Amino acid sequence: MSVPISEIITRFNNDLETTRQKGHPEPTAMTLSTVNAQGFPSSRVVLLKAFDEKGFVFYTNLTSRKAQEIQANPQVCLNFMWHNISKQIRIEGHATQVSDEEADAYFATRPKQSQIGAWASKQSSEIENKMDFEKRIAKYGLKFATSKVPRPDFWSGFRITPSKIEFWQKRDFRLHERQVFTPENSQEWNEVRLYP
Ligand SMILES: Cc1cc2nc3c(=O)[nH]c(=O)nc-3n(C[C@H](O)[C@H](O)[C@H](O)COP(=O)(O)O)c2cc1C
């Protein structure tokens, strides 16, 4: 069966709104899995900050482990688990860095303390001395005390262009529903159902 990508994104959006309305504390939290150059996988939670037919966007430090792994291998997987509506959504795809303009626009919406935190954190690197992080926060707090905080060039976002989207819905007696969508062309996607 063929489905327009716009319908799949609308369905994702509807599920996201339902889990939010039913009180999910962190509905945009998603597990991001990457694989390093040696083929070892690693997973961590990041927040979804934008999505549309072009893909799913999160932001991070470009020197972090995840960003390094994406640079070595841009094939990644996202997973949303929305317990309060018994849904899991799995998205496989290709990560590309967002434009500087897009990252600047998002960075500008963050609270100033988070912007300073982005400057201060050498994400995923070892903290050599206990107070080093606090010192860096104080340093950048002072540096930007009376000015706007520009986006650090080591901080940006990635857009995951999906190549497979699976909706999993819990049903009684483990007779769960799984619908998997893969692209036929840029607008139309093919839908298949899998045994649970
Ligand atoms: C709820 C939640 C949301 C998070 N959101 C982000 C995020 O949007 N970006 C980010 O870089 N790290 C985020 N983190 C921290 C990551 O899980 C991770 O610890 C960090 O990015 C370092 O990962 P890495 O060493 O694999 O690169 C979040 C953690 C949690 C628990």
Side-chain angles (χ1 to χ4, degrees):
M1 195 171 93
S2 262
V3 184
I5 179 65
S6 55
E7 265 183 34
I8 302 169
I9 297 301
T10 300
R11 176 171 169 180
F12 176 87
N13 188 44
N14 290 343
D15 288 347
L16 177 63
E17 284 316 308
T18 307
T19 192
R20 195 194 305 277
Q21 279 158 19
K22 293 201 171 189
H24 194 301
E26 204 73 88
T28 59
M30 55 187 185
T31 300
L32 163 73
S33 298
T34 53
V35 175
N36 72 9
Q38 289 72 42
F40 285 99
S42 65
S43 299
R44 79 290 288 153
V45 173
V46 292
L47 296 180
L48 177 70
K49 291 297 177 184
F51 65 93
D52 61 17
E53 293 170 27
K54 291 198 261 24
F56 298 79
V57 178
F58 71 92
Y59 288 88
T60 196
N61 182 309
L62 296 177
T63 65
S64 66
R65 177 176 172 181
K66 74 182 86 51
Q68 305 272 341
E69 292 189 353
I70 286 171
Q71 275 142 28
N73 179 352
Q75 307 303 334
V76 303
C77 189
L78 303 173
N79 189 293
F80 294 85
M81 179 59 226
W82 292 328
H83 288 280
N84 60 349
I85 57 170
S86 303
K87 271 183 201 289
Q88 171 182 237
I89 298 180
R90 177 157 60 164
I91 299 167
E92 293 171 36
H94 186 98
T96 41
Q97 202 176 311
V98 303
S99 67
D100 286 348
E101 293 72 29
E102 188 172 352
D104 286 343
Y106 171 67
F107 190 78
T109 68
R110 305 189 92 204
K112 190 165 187 178
Q113 209 47 43
S114 306
Q115 294 174 330
I116 289 167
W119 277 96
S121 173
K122 301 187 206 174
Q123 194 179 54
S124 314
S125 299
E126 185 179 343
I127 299 178
E128 283 166 16
N129 297 302
K130 220 173 153 194
M131 292 306 289
D132 283 357
F133 189 31
E134 283 75 7
K135 282 188 196 156
R136 288 177 63 80
I137 293 169
K139 172 181 153 184
Y140 288 107
L142 207 58
K143 179 167 179 183
F144 299 119
T146 57
S147 63
K148 280 196 171 166
V149 185
R151 178 179 60 86
D153 60 6
F154 57 82
W155 192 97
S156 187
F158 288 97
R159 173 171 283 101
I160 316 307
T161 306
S163 50
K164 190 183 268 193
I165 303 179
E166 175 181 336
F167 291 81
W168 181 99
Q169 175 65 58
K170 184 178 178 187
R171 296 287 179 225
D172 288 346
F173 311 112
R174 299 188 186 274
L175 305 177
H176 316 308
E177 272 174 35
R178 297 177 65 189
Q179 287 164 281
V180 179
F181 298 88
T182 49
E184 278 172 7
N185 55 51
S186 63
Q187 291 308 310
E188 292 295 314
W189 284 48
N190 183 51
E191 176 185 344
V192 295
R193 286 172 182 265
L194 300 183
Y195 285 98

